Coordinates of all heavy atoms in Angstrom, one line a residue:
M817 N -48.2 -49.3 -331.2 CA -47.4 -48.4 -332.0 C -45.9 -48.8 -331.8 O -45.2 -48.9 -332.8 CB -47.6 -47.0 -331.7 CG -49.0 -46.4 -332.0 SD -49.3 -44.7 -331.5 CE -49.4 -44.9 -329.8
K818 N -45.6 -49.1 -330.6 CA -44.2 -49.5 -330.3 C -43.9 -50.8 -331.0 O -42.8 -51.0 -331.6 CB -44.0 -49.6 -328.8 CG -42.6 -50.0 -328.4 CD -42.6 -50.0 -326.8 CE -41.3 -50.6 -326.4 NZ -41.1 -50.6 -324.9
D819 N -44.8 -51.7 -330.9 CA -44.7 -53.0 -331.5 C -44.6 -53.0 -333.0 O -43.8 -53.7 -333.7 CB -45.8 -54.0 -331.1 CG -45.8 -54.3 -329.6 OD1 -44.7 -54.2 -329.0 OD2 -46.8 -54.6 -329.0
L820 N -45.4 -52.1 -333.6 CA -45.4 -51.9 -335.0 C -44.1 -51.4 -335.5 O -43.6 -51.9 -336.5 CB -46.6 -50.9 -335.5 CG -46.6 -50.5 -336.9 CD1 -46.9 -51.7 -337.8 CD2 -47.6 -49.5 -337.1
L821 N -43.6 -50.4 -334.9 CA -42.3 -49.8 -335.3 C -41.2 -50.9 -335.1 O -40.3 -51.0 -336.0 CB -41.9 -48.6 -334.4 CG -40.5 -48.0 -334.7 CD1 -40.5 -47.5 -336.1 CD2 -40.3 -46.8 -333.8
E822 N -41.2 -51.7 -334.1 CA -40.2 -52.7 -333.9 C -40.3 -53.8 -335.0 O -39.3 -54.2 -335.5 CB -40.4 -53.3 -332.5 CG -39.3 -54.3 -332.1 CD -39.4 -54.8 -330.7 OE1 -40.1 -54.2 -329.9 OE2 -38.7 -55.8 -330.4
Y823 N -41.5 -54.2 -335.3 CA -41.7 -55.2 -336.3 C -41.2 -54.7 -337.7 O -40.5 -55.4 -338.4 CB -43.2 -55.5 -336.4 CG -43.5 -56.4 -337.5 CD1 -43.3 -57.8 -337.5 CD2 -44.1 -55.9 -338.7 CE1 -43.6 -58.7 -338.5 CE2 -44.5 -56.8 -339.8 CZ -44.2 -58.1 -339.6 OH -44.5 -59.0 -340.7
L824 N -41.5 -53.4 -338.0 CA -41.1 -52.9 -339.3 C -39.6 -52.7 -339.4 O -38.9 -53.1 -340.4 CB -41.7 -51.6 -339.6 CG -43.2 -51.6 -339.8 CD1 -43.8 -50.2 -339.9 CD2 -43.6 -52.3 -341.1
A825 N -39.0 -52.3 -338.3 CA -37.5 -52.1 -338.3 C -36.8 -53.4 -338.3 O -35.7 -53.5 -339.0 CB -37.1 -51.3 -337.0
K826 N -37.3 -54.4 -337.7 CA -36.6 -55.7 -337.7 C -36.6 -56.3 -339.2 O -35.7 -57.0 -339.5 CB -37.3 -56.7 -336.8 CG -36.9 -56.5 -335.3 CD -37.5 -57.5 -334.5 CE -37.1 -57.3 -333.0 NZ -37.6 -58.3 -332.1
G827 N -37.6 -56.0 -340.0 CA -37.6 -56.4 -341.4 C -36.6 -55.7 -342.2 O -36.3 -56.2 -343.3
L828 N -36.2 -54.6 -341.8 CA -35.2 -53.8 -342.6 C -33.7 -54.0 -342.3 O -32.9 -53.8 -343.2 CB -35.5 -52.3 -342.4 CG -36.8 -51.7 -342.8 CD1 -37.0 -50.3 -342.3 CD2 -36.9 -51.7 -344.3
V829 N -33.4 -54.5 -341.2 CA -32.0 -54.5 -340.7 C -31.4 -55.9 -340.9 O -32.1 -56.9 -341.1 CB -31.9 -54.0 -339.3 CG1 -32.3 -52.6 -339.2 CG2 -32.6 -54.9 -338.4
D830 N -30.1 -56.0 -340.8 CA -29.4 -57.2 -340.9 C -29.3 -57.9 -339.5 O -29.1 -59.1 -339.4 CB -28.0 -57.1 -341.4 CG -27.9 -56.7 -342.9 OD1 -28.9 -57.1 -343.6 OD2 -27.0 -56.1 -343.3
S831 N -29.4 -57.1 -338.5 CA -29.3 -57.6 -337.1 C -30.6 -57.3 -336.3 O -30.7 -56.4 -335.6 CB -28.1 -57.0 -336.3 OG -26.9 -57.2 -337.0
P832 N -31.6 -58.2 -336.6 CA -32.9 -57.8 -336.0 C -32.9 -58.0 -334.4 O -33.7 -57.4 -333.7 CB -33.8 -58.9 -336.6 CG -33.0 -59.9 -337.2 CD -31.7 -59.3 -337.5
D833 N -31.9 -58.8 -333.9 CA -31.8 -58.9 -332.4 C -31.3 -57.6 -331.7 O -31.6 -57.4 -330.6 CB -30.8 -60.0 -332.1 CG -31.3 -61.4 -332.5 OD1 -32.5 -61.5 -332.8 OD2 -30.5 -62.3 -332.7
A834 N -30.7 -56.7 -332.5 CA -30.2 -55.5 -331.9 C -31.3 -54.4 -332.0 O -31.0 -53.3 -331.4 CB -28.9 -55.0 -332.7
V835 N -32.4 -54.6 -332.5 CA -33.5 -53.6 -332.6 C -34.2 -53.5 -331.2 O -34.6 -54.5 -330.7 CB -34.5 -54.0 -333.7 CG1 -35.6 -53.0 -333.7 CG2 -33.8 -53.9 -335.1
A836 N -34.3 -52.3 -330.8 CA -35.0 -52.0 -329.5 C -35.7 -50.7 -329.7 O -35.3 -49.7 -330.3 CB -34.0 -51.9 -328.3
V837 N -36.9 -50.6 -329.1 CA -37.7 -49.4 -329.1 C -38.1 -49.0 -327.7 O -38.6 -49.8 -327.0 CB -39.0 -49.6 -330.0 CG1 -39.8 -48.3 -330.0 CG2 -38.7 -50.0 -331.4
E838 N -37.7 -47.8 -327.4 CA -38.1 -47.2 -326.1 C -39.1 -46.1 -326.3 O -39.0 -45.4 -327.3 CB -36.8 -46.6 -325.4 CG -35.8 -47.6 -325.0 CD -34.6 -47.0 -324.4 OE1 -34.7 -45.8 -324.0 OE2 -33.5 -47.7 -324.3
S839 N -40.0 -46.0 -325.4 CA -41.1 -45.0 -325.5 C -41.2 -44.2 -324.2 O -41.0 -44.8 -323.1 CB -42.4 -45.6 -325.9 OG -42.9 -46.4 -324.9
Y840 N -41.5 -42.9 -324.4 CA -41.8 -42.1 -323.2 C -42.8 -41.0 -323.7 O -42.9 -40.8 -324.9 CB -40.6 -41.5 -322.6 CG -39.8 -40.6 -323.4 CD1 -40.0 -39.2 -323.5 CD2 -38.7 -41.1 -324.2 CE1 -39.3 -38.4 -324.3 CE2 -37.9 -40.3 -325.0 CZ -38.2 -38.9 -325.0 OH -37.5 -38.1 -325.8
E841 N -43.5 -40.4 -322.7 CA -44.5 -39.4 -323.1 C -44.0 -38.1 -322.6 O -43.5 -37.9 -321.5 CB -45.8 -39.8 -322.4 CG -47.0 -39.0 -322.9 CD -48.3 -39.5 -322.4 OE1 -48.4 -40.7 -322.1 OE2 -49.3 -38.8 -322.3
E842 N -44.2 -37.1 -323.5 CA -43.8 -35.7 -323.1 C -45.0 -35.0 -322.4 O -46.1 -35.6 -322.3 CB -43.5 -34.9 -324.4 CG -42.2 -35.4 -325.1 CD -41.8 -34.6 -326.3 OE1 -42.7 -33.9 -326.8 OE2 -40.6 -34.6 -326.6
E843 N -44.7 -33.9 -321.9 CA -45.7 -33.1 -321.2 C -47.0 -32.8 -321.9 O -48.1 -32.8 -321.3 CB -45.2 -31.8 -320.7 CG -44.0 -32.0 -319.7 CD -43.3 -30.7 -319.4 OE1 -43.7 -29.6 -319.9 OE2 -42.4 -30.7 -318.6
D844 N -46.9 -32.6 -323.2 CA -48.1 -32.3 -324.0 C -48.9 -33.5 -324.5 O -49.8 -33.4 -325.3 CB -47.7 -31.4 -325.2 CG -46.7 -32.1 -326.2 OD1 -46.3 -33.2 -325.9 OD2 -46.5 -31.5 -327.2
G845 N -48.4 -34.7 -324.1 CA -49.1 -36.0 -324.4 C -48.5 -36.7 -325.6 O -49.0 -37.7 -326.0
T846 N -47.5 -36.1 -326.3 CA -46.9 -36.7 -327.4 C -46.1 -37.9 -327.0 O -45.3 -37.8 -326.0 CB -46.0 -35.7 -328.1 OG1 -46.7 -34.5 -328.5 CG2 -45.3 -36.3 -329.3
V847 N -46.2 -39.0 -327.7 CA -45.5 -40.2 -327.4 C -44.2 -40.2 -328.3 O -44.3 -40.0 -329.5 CB -46.3 -41.4 -327.7 CG1 -45.4 -42.7 -327.5 CG2 -47.5 -41.5 -326.9
V848 N -43.0 -40.3 -327.7 CA -41.8 -40.3 -328.4 C -41.3 -41.8 -328.4 O -41.1 -42.3 -327.4 CB -40.8 -39.4 -327.8 CG1 -39.5 -39.5 -328.6 CG2 -41.3 -38.0 -327.8
L849 N -41.0 -42.3 -329.6 CA -40.5 -43.6 -329.8 C -39.0 -43.5 -330.2 O -38.7 -42.9 -331.3 CB -41.2 -44.4 -330.8 CG -42.7 -44.7 -330.5 CD1 -43.4 -45.4 -331.7 CD2 -42.9 -45.4 -329.2
E850 N -38.1 -44.1 -329.4 CA -36.7 -44.0 -329.8 C -36.3 -45.4 -330.3 O -36.5 -46.4 -329.6 CB -35.8 -43.7 -328.6 CG -36.0 -42.3 -328.1 CD -35.0 -41.9 -327.0 OE1 -34.5 -42.9 -326.4 OE2 -34.9 -40.7 -326.7
L851 N -35.9 -45.4 -331.6 CA -35.5 -46.6 -332.3 C -34.0 -46.8 -332.2 O -33.2 -46.0 -332.6 CB -35.9 -46.6 -333.7 CG -35.6 -47.7 -334.6 CD1 -36.2 -49.0 -334.1 CD2 -36.0 -47.5 -336.0
H852 N -33.6 -47.9 -331.5 CA -32.1 -48.2 -331.4 C -31.9 -49.4 -332.3 O -32.6 -50.4 -332.3 CB -31.8 -48.6 -329.9 CG -32.0 -47.5 -329.0 ND1 -31.1 -46.6 -328.6 CD2 -33.1 -47.2 -328.2 CE1 -31.6 -45.8 -327.8 NE2 -32.8 -46.1 -327.5
V853 N -30.8 -49.3 -333.1 CA -30.4 -50.4 -334.0 C -28.9 -50.5 -334.0 O -28.2 -49.6 -333.4 CB -30.8 -50.1 -335.5 CG1 -32.4 -50.2 -335.6 CG2 -30.3 -48.8 -336.0
A854 N -28.4 -51.5 -334.5 CA -26.9 -51.8 -334.6 C -26.3 -50.6 -335.4 O -26.9 -50.0 -336.3 CB -26.6 -53.1 -335.2
D855 N -25.0 -50.3 -335.1 CA -24.3 -49.3 -335.8 C -24.3 -49.5 -337.4 O -24.4 -48.5 -338.1 CB -22.9 -49.1 -335.4 CG -22.8 -48.6 -333.9 OD1 -23.8 -47.9 -333.5 OD2 -21.8 -48.8 -333.3
D856 N -24.2 -50.7 -337.8 CA -24.1 -51.0 -339.2 C -25.5 -50.8 -339.9 O -25.6 -50.7 -341.1 CB -23.6 -52.4 -339.5 CG -22.2 -52.6 -339.0 OD1 -21.5 -51.6 -338.9 OD2 -21.8 -53.8 -338.8
D857 N -26.6 -50.8 -339.1 CA -27.9 -50.8 -339.7 C -28.5 -49.4 -339.7 O -29.7 -49.2 -340.2 CB -28.8 -51.8 -338.9 CG -28.4 -53.2 -339.2 OD1 -27.9 -53.5 -340.3 OD2 -28.7 -54.1 -338.3
V858 N -27.9 -48.4 -339.1 CA -28.5 -47.1 -339.0 C -28.8 -46.5 -340.4 O -29.8 -46.0 -340.7 CB -27.5 -46.1 -338.3 CG1 -28.1 -44.7 -338.3 CG2 -27.4 -46.6 -336.8
G859 N -27.9 -46.7 -341.3 CA -28.1 -46.2 -342.7 C -29.3 -46.9 -343.4 O -30.0 -46.3 -344.2
K860 N -29.5 -48.2 -343.1 CA -30.6 -48.9 -343.7 C -31.9 -48.4 -343.2 O -32.9 -48.3 -343.9 CB -30.5 -50.4 -343.4 CG -29.3 -51.0 -344.2 CD -29.2 -52.5 -343.9 CE -27.9 -53.0 -344.6 NZ -27.6 -54.3 -344.2
V861 N -32.0 -48.0 -341.9 CA -33.2 -47.6 -341.3 C -33.5 -46.1 -341.8 O -34.6 -45.8 -342.0 CB -33.1 -47.6 -339.8 CG1 -34.3 -46.9 -339.1 CG2 -33.1 -49.0 -339.3
I862 N -32.5 -45.3 -341.9 CA -32.7 -43.9 -342.4 C -33.0 -43.9 -343.9 O -33.9 -43.2 -344.3 CB -31.5 -43.1 -342.0 CG1 -31.3 -42.9 -340.5 CG2 -31.6 -41.7 -342.7 CD1 -30.1 -42.2 -340.0
G863 N -32.2 -44.7 -344.7 CA -32.5 -44.7 -346.1 C -31.9 -43.5 -346.8 O -31.4 -42.6 -346.2
R864 N -32.0 -43.6 -348.1 CA -31.4 -42.5 -349.0 C -32.2 -41.2 -348.8 O -33.4 -41.3 -349.0 CB -31.4 -43.0 -350.4 CG -30.7 -42.1 -351.4 CD -30.6 -42.7 -352.7 NE -29.9 -44.0 -352.6 CZ -29.0 -44.4 -353.5 NH1 -28.8 -43.7 -354.5 NH2 -28.4 -45.6 -353.3
S865 N -31.6 -40.2 -348.4 CA -32.2 -38.9 -348.2 C -33.3 -39.0 -347.1 O -34.2 -38.2 -347.1 CB -32.8 -38.3 -349.4 OG -31.8 -38.1 -350.4
G866 N -33.3 -40.0 -346.2 CA -34.3 -40.1 -345.2 C -35.6 -40.7 -345.6 O -36.6 -40.6 -344.9
R867 N -35.6 -41.2 -346.8 CA -36.9 -41.8 -347.3 C -37.5 -42.9 -346.4 O -38.7 -43.0 -346.2 CB -36.8 -42.2 -348.7 CG -36.6 -41.1 -349.7 CD -36.5 -41.5 -351.1 NE -36.3 -40.4 -351.9 CZ -36.0 -40.5 -353.2 NH1 -36.0 -41.7 -353.8 NH2 -35.8 -39.4 -353.9
T868 N -36.6 -43.8 -346.0 CA -37.1 -45.0 -345.3 C -37.6 -44.6 -343.9 O -38.7 -45.0 -343.5 CB -36.0 -46.0 -345.1 OG1 -35.5 -46.4 -346.4 CG2 -36.5 -47.3 -344.4
V869 N -36.9 -43.8 -343.2 CA -37.4 -43.3 -341.9 C -38.6 -42.5 -342.0 O -39.6 -42.5 -341.2 CB -36.3 -42.6 -341.1 CG1 -36.0 -41.2 -341.6 CG2 -36.6 -42.6 -339.6
N870 N -38.8 -41.7 -343.1 CA -40.0 -40.9 -343.3 C -41.2 -41.9 -343.6 O -42.3 -41.6 -343.1 CB -39.9 -39.9 -344.4 CG -39.0 -38.8 -344.0 OD1 -38.9 -38.4 -342.8 ND2 -38.4 -38.1 -345.0
A871 N -41.0 -42.9 -344.3 CA -42.0 -43.9 -344.5 C -42.4 -44.6 -343.2 O -43.6 -44.8 -342.9 CB -41.5 -44.9 -345.5
L872 N -41.4 -44.9 -342.4 CA -41.8 -45.5 -341.0 C -42.6 -44.5 -340.2 O -43.6 -44.9 -339.6 CB -40.5 -45.9 -340.3 CG -39.7 -47.0 -340.8 CD1 -38.3 -47.1 -340.0 CD2 -40.4 -48.3 -340.6
R873 N -42.2 -43.3 -340.2 CA -42.9 -42.2 -339.5 C -44.4 -42.2 -340.0 O -45.3 -42.0 -339.2 CB -42.2 -40.9 -339.6 CG -41.0 -40.8 -338.8 CD -40.3 -39.5 -339.0 NE -39.1 -39.5 -338.1 CZ -37.9 -39.0 -338.5 NH1 -37.8 -38.4 -339.7 NH2 -36.9 -39.0 -337.6
T874 N -44.6 -42.2 -341.3 CA -45.9 -42.1 -341.9 C -46.8 -43.3 -341.4 O -47.9 -43.1 -341.1 CB -45.8 -42.1 -343.4 OG1 -45.0 -41.0 -343.8 CG2 -47.2 -42.0 -344.0
V875 N -46.2 -44.5 -341.5 CA -47.0 -45.7 -341.1 C -47.4 -45.6 -339.6 O -48.5 -45.9 -339.2 CB -46.2 -47.0 -341.4 CG1 -46.9 -48.2 -340.8 CG2 -46.1 -47.1 -342.9
V876 N -46.4 -45.2 -338.7 CA -46.7 -45.2 -337.4 C -47.7 -44.1 -337.0 O -48.5 -44.2 -336.2 CB -45.4 -45.1 -336.5 CG1 -45.7 -44.9 -335.1 CG2 -44.5 -46.4 -336.7
R877 N -47.5 -43.0 -337.7 CA -48.5 -41.9 -337.4 C -49.9 -42.3 -337.9 O -50.9 -41.9 -337.2 CB -48.1 -40.6 -338.2 CG -47.1 -39.8 -337.5 CD -46.9 -38.4 -338.2 NE -45.6 -37.8 -337.8 CZ -44.7 -37.3 -338.6 NH1 -45.0 -37.2 -339.9 NH2 -43.6 -36.8 -338.1
A878 N -50.0 -43.0 -338.9 CA -51.3 -43.5 -339.4 C -51.9 -44.4 -338.3 O -53.1 -44.3 -338.0 CB -51.2 -44.2 -340.7
S879 N -51.1 -45.2 -337.7 CA -51.6 -46.1 -336.6 C -51.9 -45.3 -335.4 O -52.9 -45.7 -334.7 CB -50.5 -47.1 -336.3 OG -50.8 -47.8 -335.2
S880 N -51.2 -44.2 -335.1 CA -51.4 -43.4 -333.9 C -52.8 -42.7 -334.0 O -53.4 -42.3 -333.0 CB -50.3 -42.5 -333.6 OG -50.3 -41.4 -334.6
V881 N -53.2 -42.3 -335.2 CA -54.5 -41.6 -335.3 C -55.6 -42.5 -334.8 O -56.5 -42.0 -334.2 CB -54.8 -41.3 -336.8 CG1 -56.2 -40.8 -337.0 CG2 -53.7 -40.3 -337.3
K882 N -55.5 -43.8 -334.9 CA -56.5 -44.7 -334.4 C -56.6 -44.6 -332.9 O -57.6 -44.7 -332.3 CB -56.1 -46.1 -334.8 CG -57.1 -47.2 -334.4 CD -56.5 -48.5 -334.8 CE -57.4 -49.5 -335.3 NZ -56.8 -50.7 -335.7
H883 N -55.4 -44.3 -332.2 CA -55.4 -44.2 -330.8 C -55.6 -42.8 -330.3 O -55.6 -42.5 -329.1 CB -54.0 -44.7 -330.2 CG -53.8 -46.2 -330.6 ND1 -54.6 -47.2 -330.0 CD2 -52.9 -46.8 -331.4 CE1 -54.2 -48.3 -330.5 NE2 -53.2 -48.1 -331.4
G884 N -55.6 -41.8 -331.2 CA -55.8 -40.4 -330.8 C -54.6 -39.8 -330.2 O -54.7 -38.9 -329.3
R885 N -53.4 -40.3 -330.6 CA -52.2 -39.8 -330.0 C -51.3 -39.2 -331.1 O -51.4 -39.5 -332.2 CB -51.4 -40.9 -329.3 CG -52.1 -41.8 -328.3 CD -52.5 -41.0 -327.1 NE -51.5 -40.5 -326.3 CZ -50.9 -41.1 -325.2 NH1 -51.4 -42.2 -324.8 NH2 -50.0 -40.5 -324.6
R886 N -50.3 -38.4 -330.7 CA -49.3 -37.8 -331.6 C -48.0 -38.6 -331.3 O -47.7 -38.7 -330.1 CB -49.1 -36.3 -331.3 CG -48.1 -35.7 -332.3 CD -48.2 -34.2 -332.2 NE -47.3 -33.6 -333.2 CZ -46.2 -33.1 -332.9 NH1 -45.7 -32.9 -331.7 NH2 -45.4 -32.6 -333.9
V887 N -47.4 -39.0 -332.3 CA -46.2 -39.9 -332.2 C -45.0 -39.3 -332.9 O -45.2 -38.9 -334.1 CB -46.5 -41.3 -332.7 CG1 -45.2 -42.2 -332.5 CG2 -47.6 -41.9 -331.9
L888 N -43.9 -39.3 -332.3 CA -42.6 -38.9 -332.9 C -41.7 -40.1 -332.9 O -41.6 -40.8 -331.9 CB -42.0 -37.7 -332.2 CG -42.8 -36.4 -332.2 CD1 -42.1 -35.4 -331.4 CD2 -43.0 -35.9 -333.6
I889 N -40.8 -40.2 -334.0 CA -39.9 -41.3 -334.0 C -38.5 -40.7 -334.1 O -38.3 -39.9 -335.0 CB -40.1 -42.2 -335.2 CG1 -41.5 -42.9 -335.1 CG2 -39.0 -43.3 -335.3 CD1 -41.9 -43.8 -336.2
D890 N -37.6 -41.1 -333.3 CA -36.2 -40.7 -333.2 C -35.3 -41.9 -333.5 O -35.6 -42.9 -332.8 CB -35.8 -40.0 -332.0 CG -36.4 -38.7 -331.8 OD1 -36.7 -38.0 -332.8 OD2 -36.6 -38.3 -330.6
V891 N -34.4 -41.9 -334.4 CA -33.4 -43.0 -334.6 C -32.2 -42.6 -333.8 O -31.6 -41.6 -334.0 CB -33.1 -43.2 -336.1 CG1 -32.0 -44.3 -336.2 CG2 -34.3 -43.4 -336.9
V892 N -31.9 -43.5 -332.8 CA -30.8 -43.2 -331.9 C -29.6 -44.1 -332.3 O -29.8 -45.3 -332.5 CB -31.2 -43.5 -330.4 CG1 -30.0 -43.2 -329.5 CG2 -32.4 -42.7 -330.1
D893 N -28.4 -43.5 -332.5 CA -27.3 -44.4 -332.9 C -26.3 -44.5 -331.8 O -26.4 -44.0 -330.7 CB -26.6 -43.8 -334.1 CG -26.3 -42.3 -334.0 OD1 -26.9 -41.7 -333.1 OD2 -25.4 -41.9 -334.7

């Protein structure tokens, strides 16, 4: 899931070397993925009205069902 998010984000941004994904698990078993991108690329990852980040969340959630986990994505600037 972490690799999937990183792959998708690198395809969206102008500075793919600045993309980093950190993950940690909360007490209830939810996996939180923090997406770090360059300052100039935050708008590209979020998209107009949040459509792009919602699409990323949908794809990663679909992948997480396969693993039986709940996943949240946070864009960190």
Side-chain angles (χ1 to χ4, degrees):
M817 293 178 288
K818 180 179 173 180
D819 296 333
L820 174 63
L821 178 60
E822 187 173 346
Y823 174 78
L824 292 172
K826 283 184 178 183
L828 293 172
V829 298
D830 290 333
S831 304
D833 296 336
V835 173
V837 179
E838 295 178 15
S839 67
Y840 62 90
E841 191 168 338
E842 291 185 340
E843 296 172 358
D844 62 351
T846 301
V847 176
V848 178
L849 300 175
E850 290 185 345
L851 177 61
H852 298 271
V853 295
D855 290 338
D856 295 341
D857 292 330
V858 173
K860 292 179 182 171
V861 171
I862 294 174
R864 190 171 301 218
S865 301
R867 289 182 185 172
T868 304
V869 75
N870 285 336
L872 288 172
R873 288 178 176 138
T874 302
V875 171
V876 173
R877 277 191 199 136
S879 171
S880 70
V881 169
K882 187 184 214 181
H883 301 291
R885 307 294 299 263
R886 183 168 185 253
V887 177
L888 299 175
I889 297 175
D890 292 331
V891 178
V892 180
D893 51 340

